[in-house]
Amino acid sequence: MGKGNRLGEFEEVVLLALASFEDSAYGVEVFDTLARITGREGSITGVYVALSRLEDKGYVKSYLGKATAQRGGRAKRFFTLQPAGAEVLKRSREAMNALWRGARLHPLLEDGS
Amino acid sequence: MTHPKSGPPRVAEWLLRRRLPRDLSEPILGDLAERFGALSETDPVEARRFYWRQTVSAWSSRIPAARSPIERAGRFGHRRTASGLDSWGQDLRYGARRLMRSPGFSLVALFTLALGIGATTTIFSVVQETLLRSLPFADPERLVMVWNHTREEPTDRWLLTAKDFADMQEQSRSLEAAAVTETVVGPMVGAGEAIHVRISRTTTNFFSLLGVEPILGRGFVPEDGTPVPTGAQGPPLPVLLSHGTWQAHFGGDPGVLGRTMTIFGQPAEVIGVMPVDFDMHLPDAADVGRDMDLWWPIRYDHSQGSRDSHYLTVIARLRDGTSLSEARAETISFSEGIRQASVRHRELGLEFELTPLAADVVAHVRPTLVLLSGAVGFVLLIACANVASLFLVRVARRRSELAVMSALGAGRWRLIRQLLTESLLLGVAGGTGGLLLSVAGLSVLKRVRPDELPWVDAVQLDLRIVAFALGTSLLAALVYGIAPAIRSTVAAGRLQQRAGSSSAGESRLRSSMVVVEVALSLVLLVGAGLMVRTIGELNRVELGFDPENLLVVDVSMPGQLDREQRLQVVHEVERTLREVPGVEQAGGIFPVPLNGVYVRTCAYAADAPPLESEDPREAYFRIVTPGYFDAARVSLRAGRQLEASDEDGEPAVVVVEQRLADRLWPGHDPIGQRLFFQIFSRQPVEVRVAGVVDNVRQGGLIDERPTIYMPRHFYAAMEMSFVVRAQGDPERLYAPIRSAIGALPTEMPVDVRAMSDNVVRELRPAQFVLALMAVFSALALVLAAVGLYGVLAYSVSQRRREIGIRLAMGATRHDVLRLVLGEGMVLAALGTLFGLGAAAALTRFMSHHLYGVSATDPVAFGATAAFLLMVSGLATWLPARRASGVAPSSALRYE
């Protein structure tokens, strides 16, 4: 794949949101988590597109759940974080931390957390 | 959780299903339904809003195509399509995008189509108004014209005699009513200055028979037609005004009813005004013309008339429920009855004939319209061939795209459909353009208002015409789209073939289309060429007189003048005209040559009065004054001209034309020969021939009926015309002539015009046909040349490599030039050959419009073929020159 296995920004956010679930989560749950954290209502389709890409890259896995009446007889699609996904999140965090350590010297960031 | 009262918005759901790939749509729709259910328990409005927001963001987010190649193929194949309608929509969107992406191709194709469809729609709108509409009369299908013809000449159309008309009206059971109309031109005094008006004299039942009522006042009633004894002063003539006359001369005044005036010296009174669009709509053979100024009733009992003189135009209405064939059967037995009653009818074998009015009225324009329809049909076909050719190139350019679509599971039908959709899109756009062009074309035609298209004024752009344009463009789209579409599926089968390269099959197809284009355009060119030759021949016609610097002066004498006074007035006017400064010569004649209104014929024979003669013939008779032949420059061939002393009638002499003398006395001296003639139903007259003059085209440019010139005492008409030979510019004489005649004691309306106008009017029908043929053949030629150029330019671009190799191998640029020129000229020559064949087969359909040339005139055929080859040479030369400019090295690198 041309883009390699690098994470897009939104993909990373979605992957983190999924990681906040112990076991597995389906679209609406990830969507709600994102909305809570960012304070904005996103797009369910966007979430699914990102999750599908993450699945292509091997970071998450999905399986179909049961169909229920509330869902108009449609099955849920559950996503689970995979070890490779956890690994890429950790690497990303380390890289960020390293960058942050260097960046603290800048006067504009003095008040920053 | 309780079940939601109502489900998610159906439209939004539907939209989402359209948008989402299969693997995503199930979980997403499920999630949204779940969330919608939860929200709608507390806030149903917000729930709907949420659902719609999500739908919109689904449509605005970028969704990758389904992720496996198999699934991607599903987008082109049938599997994914839920309904046929949906995939048509997809085809449309895709097609529109493809067309936008190559604006050059689209614009050329669009313009070509618009030209073809515009021309076709314009002619169609005229055809449907003229040939397909019904006449503006009540139950027009029951209206018929009544004619006579002889057994020997069954296609002739004679008008009826008065007595026959009266008998038929009385005896017929299949005719509900029969009416008579005839046209005269005369002076009207009393509405401003004296003017000439076109008067239609009709029986009083004329309007009720047609089912037309005046918009103001009343129509004629039977009492209006009560005969007035000769010499007695009847009640004023009741007159119906045309809408135009009412507006022009009475200011549209509603108080016009009861206004009095003098027409032909008779008191007349306005009783009504006809509707604005009322026109005569009678066949040409009826000899009544159009654009009447007023109508008045015939105050005459036709049963008192003769059975010898044919001068009544009769229109009749079939009784309700009677078919035309029943009426015809009755007419046959009626004809027999009349032949029993009249020796003359028996000898002539006179028969009565009924013809349906509706078909008759358009009979004279039908050949022109058929010709024009054929011509535009050809233009449209050429346009289609051109666009098909363009599409074939596109198919070749898109070969790789089509091959991929095909490899991904798109079926044969699917590919054909995609390409046909593009053709249809283009067709609709071209149709719209064509409709706009036809609006422009119609407004041009309306401004020209040719006599050949009598109803062009009434043509309106209505739904039928829009439907026609649309239908034509869709049909055209199928015609030009189907071959490329089918080729495309062949193309798609060859994945490995280089994009943009043409298969041999496509080149052949494109070449044969160019051949067809060239052939069709040659047919049109030949048609135009034949018209050019016709007009040339018409211009070369020896008129027998000199129309240059010749004026025609018409005067109408007041009706109260008696015969002697009328003769005196003619004398006075002639003398007055000669005294106007700048006048070289003046002479009287009635009616003038090529006048376009009057026919005036008589029967003549050499051995006995025409009715008793073994060999009666027909000639024009013309009343002339002695000065006429010099003024008109009609040269004398033998004997002498008429002299003033001939006017007292002793001895009675006439001057005849050379062709009449040749016919009656071949090889003998015509001077002093005995001649009998009979005007109308008058007594036959015996005269001697005093002189012979040159042949004159009296009734029309192609008319060779002979003329008998007679002194005025034979026929003292109410009207007289004079020809005036001007020294220098005749225009300067108009005003002096008017004022000179206005100064005479007798009040008379005067018309002055140039004789050359008469000649020009005679040329107009041929010129009109030529103009349209020229426009259509020019269109065809340009399209065919563009087609030829396109094929060769493409072929050259395909063969750059080959050409490069040839050049590298030592071929000269001259060789390359010759190679491409040869290829183009072979196509052009083939097209020319087929075109000549097709033209030879088709031009006989325009023989109606030709004069002096045969429908297979070698000059017209040869000249147009040469012209076409010349234009083809030019269209070929441009790509050939480009080919010869190819650099060998770059050509080798070209891929």
Side-chain angles (χ1 to χ4, degrees):
Chain A
M1 270 186 206
K3 260 181 144 184
N5 286 2
R6 291 220 320 272
L7 277 184
E9 192 188 351
F10 186 62
E11 282 170 24
E12 186 173 357
V13 174
V14 170
L15 195 59
L16 272 169
L18 179 66
S20 67
F21 292 88
E22 220 168 284
D23 184 5
S24 57
Y26 67 105
V28 165
E29 291 172 326
V30 178
F31 169 80
D32 281 343
T33 309
L34 281 175
R36 205 168 51 239
I37 294 169
T38 62
R40 287 194 308 125
E41 179 184 285
S43 155
I44 285 205
T45 307
V47 169
Y48 271 97
V49 168
L51 285 169
S52 303
R53 283 214 188 93
L54 291 168
E55 188 172 17
D56 284 348
K57 293 171 183 173
Y59 299 149
V60 305
K61 229 179 134 164
S62 73
Y63 60 95
L64 288 182
K66 272 206 308 258
T68 63
Q70 290 93 329
R71 299 174 56 87
R74 295 180 187 93
K76 286 177 183 171
R77 188 176 198 106
F78 286 100
F79 294 87
T80 323
L81 186 67
Q82 293 297 295
E87 184 61 29
V88 79
L89 277 179
K90 269 193 265 174
R91 268 215 311 275
S92 163
R93 180 181 170 174
E94 277 160 17
M96 282 302 206
N97 282 343
L99 284 170
W100 272 103
R101 276 196 292 277
R104 260 192 215 139
L105 292 173
H106 196 281
L108 279 179
L109 287 169
E110 268 174 8
D111 297 336
S113 51
Chain B
M1 248 188 187
T2 53
H3 207 72
K5 285 179 204 101
S6 60
R10 282 171 174 274
V11 180
E13 212 176 60
W14 181 83
L15 281 171
L16 280 170
R17 267 206 307 273
R18 297 303 100 183
R19 177 64 177 158
L20 297 172
R22 239 164 19 119
D23 57 335
L24 291 184
S25 86
E26 169 116 356
I28 291 177
L29 283 172
D31 281 8
L32 286 174
E34 183 186 325
R35 176 50 48 92
F36 177 82
L39 281 172
S40 56
E41 293 206 328
T42 52
D43 188 350
V45 178
E46 173 53 24
R48 297 184 76 80
R49 282 195 187 142
F50 165 79
Y51 205 99
W52 272 109
R53 276 200 302 275
Q54 288 299 324
T55 307
V56 170
S57 53
W59 270 90
S60 52
S61 49
R62 275 177 41 166
I63 299 175
R67 278 155 295 126
S68 77
I70 304 296
E71 273 175 309
R72 188 203 294 267
R75 297 194 59 168
F76 294 109
H78 283 296
R79 272 173 296 161
R80 190 188 152 262
T81 53
S83 69
L85 202 68
D86 167 51
S87 69
W88 273 116
Q90 193 193 10
D91 282 359
L92 274 178
R93 278 196 302 279
Y94 186 68
R97 275 205 304 274
R98 295 294 324 192
L99 291 175
M100 301 283 233
R101 207 170 296 166
S102 39
F105 158 81
S106 304
L107 279 179
V108 170
L110 190 90
F111 192 64
T112 306
L113 273 181
L115 280 180
I117 291 170
T120 315
T121 306
T122 307
I123 295 304
F124 167 78
S125 58
V126 175
V127 166
Q128 72 111 20
E129 186 65 31
T130 309
L131 299 187
L132 309 179
R133 77 177 201 156
S134 62
L135 292 169
F137 304 138
D139 298 330
E141 67 285 349
R142 280 165 55 204
L143 293 173
V144 292
M145 299 295 298
V146 189
W147 313 96
N148 275 159
H149 61 78
T150 60
R151 219 175 0 239
E152 281 178 9
E153 298 285 348
T155 52
D156 269 10
R157 287 181 161 189
W158 292 17
L159 301 179
L160 265 56
T161 69
K163 191 98 170 82
D164 291 349
F165 166 68
D167 286 353
M168 192 180 70
Q169 212 175 12
E170 193 188 294
Q171 295 170 21
S172 174
R173 280 180 309 280
S174 54
L175 299 181
E176 185 177 289
V180 159
T181 174
E182 61 180 326
T183 303
V184 289
V185 178
M188 176 172 89
V189 185
E193 66 171 20
I195 52 163
H196 275 104
V197 283
R198 284 172 71 83
I199 302 162
S200 170
R201 291 165 20 102
T202 68
T203 47
T204 53
N205 61 348
F206 182 69
F207 293 103
S208 55
L209 183 140
L210 294 180
V212 180
E213 307 233 319
I215 51 161
L216 197 66
R218 65 170 177 91
F220 295 141
V221 292
E223 296 74 57
D224 291 333
T226 310
V228 176
T230 349
Q233 179 77 39
L237 268 171
V239 166
L240 284 166
L241 299 179
S242 76
H243 198 271
T245 307
W246 182 45
Q247 293 293 331
H249 299 291
F250 297 92
D253 175 15
V256 74
L257 300 180
R259 279 278 294 273
T260 55
M261 54 207 160
T262 311
I263 301 171
F264 269 128
Q266 298 198 54
E269 181 186 341
V270 177
I271 62 159
V273 176
M274 294 307 291
V276 64
D277 52 354
F278 178 72
D279 207 337
M280 296 298 277
H281 297 306
L282 295 184
D284 264 12
D287 212 16
V288 293
R290 301 165 66 216
D291 299 328
M292 295 299 145
D293 296 313
L294 44 92
W295 289 263
W296 82 35
I298 296 174
R299 298 200 278 196
Y300 179 67
D301 181 358
H302 289 99
S303 64
Q304 303 299 309
S306 86
R307 225 188 267 289
D308 296 332
S309 180
H310 296 262
Y311 69 99
L312 293 183
T313 300
V314 177
I315 178 170
R317 178 175 285 280
L318 298 179
R319 207 172 283 286
D320 207 0
T322 306
S323 72
L324 184 63
S325 50
E326 284 164 357
R328 275 183 172 149
E330 191 199 66
T331 309
I332 290 173
S333 62
F334 174 71
S335 302
E336 274 162 20
I338 300 256
R339 283 200 296 272
Q340 299 287 314
S342 155
V343 180
R344 177 174 170 276
H345 282 25
R346 191 161 55 242
E347 283 176 355
L348 285 170
L350 212 64
E351 281 165 4
F352 287 74
E353 158 116 66
L354 304 179
T355 58
L357 178 65
D360 239 14
V361 167
V362 294
H364 69 294
V365 292
R366 191 181 290 273
T368 306
L369 289 177
V370 168
L371 177 70
L372 295 182
S373 305
V376 286
F378 276 28
V379 172
L380 186 62
L381 272 180
I382 294 172
C384 285
N386 237 342
V387 176
S389 204
L390 285 169
F391 261 99
L392 277 174
V393 173
R394 258 169 73 80
V395 167
R397 294 239 159 93
R398 289 166 65 182
R399 191 179 309 286
S400 56
E401 174 198 336
L402 295 169
V404 167
M405 278 170 79
S406 166
L408 293 179
R412 194 183 160 86
W413 161 234
R414 184 68 185 71
L415 291 179
I416 292 179
R417 205 180 63 184
Q418 177 62 50
L419 285 156
L420 271 186
T421 307
E422 283 171 41
S423 316
L424 289 175
L425 261 179
L426 200 66
V428 170
T432 314
L435 207 55
L436 293 178
L437 281 181
S438 80
V439 170
L442 270 179
S443 74
V444 170
L445 275 184
K446 282 187 185 182
R447 213 167 312 135
V448 178
R449 199 172 181 263
D451 291 343
E452 289 67 29
L453 307 178
W455 288 302
V456 74
D457 283 343
V459 177
Q460 298 287 343
L461 190 72
D462 59 13
L463 263 183
R464 261 178 309 182
I465 293 173
V466 173
F468 174 85
L470 204 69
T472 310
S473 38
L474 293 184
L475 199 70
L478 283 181
V479 170
Y480 63 68
I482 203 94
I486 289 171
R487 289 299 313 173
S488 75
T489 63
V490 180
R494 305 201 192 97
L495 242 181
Q496 73 283 15
Q497 195 165 9
R498 207 173 64 226
S501 72
S502 231
S503 72
E506 273 151 38
S507 310
R508 250 201 317 277
L509 201 56
R510 274 165 57 76
S511 299
S512 44
M513 278 186 202
V514 165
V515 170
V516 169
E517 283 180 51
V518 171
L520 290 176
S521 60
L522 181 60
V523 175
L524 292 183
L525 275 174
V526 167
L530 287 172
M531 288 316 295
V532 169
R533 293 269 291 142
T534 293
I535 288 177
E537 288 299 314
L538 288 175
N539 274 321
R540 255 198 299 283
V541 159
E542 289 285 342
L543 291 174
F545 65 98
D546 178 10
E548 287 307 306
N549 292 343
L550 197 63
L551 292 176
V552 178
V553 180
D554 297 327
V555 297
S556 308
M557 285 166 261
Q560 64 269 26
L561 298 187
D562 66 20
R563 191 186 148 84
E564 280 313 308
Q565 286 169 315
R566 292 206 288 265
L567 294 176
Q568 190 54 39
V569 167
V570 169
H571 193 61
E572 273 171 27
V573 173
E574 188 178 27
R575 202 180 50 215
T576 310
L577 286 171
R578 284 189 184 139
E579 284 163 4
V580 172
V583 170
E584 189 182 303
Q585 260 293 351
I589 180 169
F590 186 78
V592 293
L594 307 178
N595 65 76
V597 182
Y598 297 103
V599 181
R600 297 292 150 98
T601 58
C602 64
Y604 73 90
D607 54 339
L611 286 180
E612 298 153 29
S613 165
E614 310 251 298
D615 183 28
R617 309 212 180 209
E618 208 176 37
Y620 292 112
F621 70 88
R622 292 292 179 264
I623 307 300
V624 292
T625 66
Y628 170 73
F629 297 111
D630 284 342
R633 295 192 179 144
V634 177
S635 35
L636 187 71
R637 293 280 193 88
R640 61 169 177 87
Q641 296 191 358
L642 293 175
E643 289 161 5
S645 60
D646 295 327
E647 296 196 339
D648 50 21
E650 283 300 328
V653 293
V654 294
V655 165
V656 298
E657 275 185 351
Q658 187 69 48
R659 51 165 90 91
L660 187 145
D662 291 344
R663 192 177 289 161
L664 288 186
W665 310 287
H668 294 88
D669 183 8
I671 305 305
Q673 296 279 7
R674 197 169 63 151
L675 181 70
F676 296 90
F677 67 83
Q678 185 172 15
I679 299 174
F680 298 152
S681 52
R682 298 182 185 193
Q683 289 301 308
V685 183
E686 183 185 339
V687 295
R688 298 278 165 177
V689 175
V692 177
V693 291
D694 246 353
N695 296 330
V696 168
R697 304 280 170 145
Q698 202 69 250
L701 293 180
I702 61 173
D703 186 13
E704 302 198 21
R705 190 184 283 173
T707 307
I708 301 174
Y709 295 96
M710 46 192 78
R712 291 180 299 142
H713 67 87
F714 284 107
Y715 186 71
M718 307 273 280
E719 291 161 86
M720 193 67 188
S721 299
F722 298 85
V723 292
V724 174
R725 175 71 54 193
Q727 297 167 328
D729 183 10
E731 296 267 327
R732 283 177 312 145
L733 292 180
Y734 281 45
I737 286 175
R738 271 177 210 286
S739 58
I741 294 177
L744 289 175
T746 320
E747 193 184 356
M748 291 177 290
V750 184
D751 271 347
V752 187
R753 59 207 151 81
M755 178 62 96
S756 53
D757 290 352
N758 284 5
V759 181
V760 168
R761 191 188 51 235
E762 292 289 323
L763 283 171
R764 215 176 289 149
Q767 280 166 340
F768 173 71
V769 172
L770 170 63
L772 284 182
M773 288 301 285
V775 168
F776 293 146
S777 54
L779 270 181
L781 187 64
V782 168
L783 291 178
V786 167
L788 186 62
Y789 169 84
V791 163
L792 289 173
Y794 183 66
S795 152
V796 165
S797 78
Q798 288 289 297
R799 293 165 63 187
R800 284 179 82 87
R801 198 184 156 86
E802 177 205 324
I803 293 166
I805 292 170
R806 280 172 189 269
L807 286 169
M809 302 288 283
T812 63
R813 305 218 171 265
H814 190 72
D815 293 335
V816 173
L817 198 67
R818 215 167 43 201
L819 178 80
V820 181
L821 269 178
E823 187 187 343
M825 290 321 279
V826 164
L827 294 181
L830 270 176
T832 306
L833 218 59
F834 287 132
L836 285 174
L842 289 172
T843 46
R844 62 197 158 92
F845 289 111
M846 64 183 293
S847 54
H848 175 90
H849 297 282
L850 300 182
Y851 171 76
V853 289
S854 110
T856 51
D857 177 51
V859 177
F861 275 63
T864 49
F867 179 61
L868 181 71
L869 284 174
M870 213 174 71
V871 173
S872 307
L874 198 70
T876 308
W877 188 71
L878 293 172
R881 206 182 50 154
R882 191 180 318 148
S884 70
V886 167
S889 55
S890 76
L892 286 173
R893 279 197 298 273
Y894 177 80
E895 185 66 2

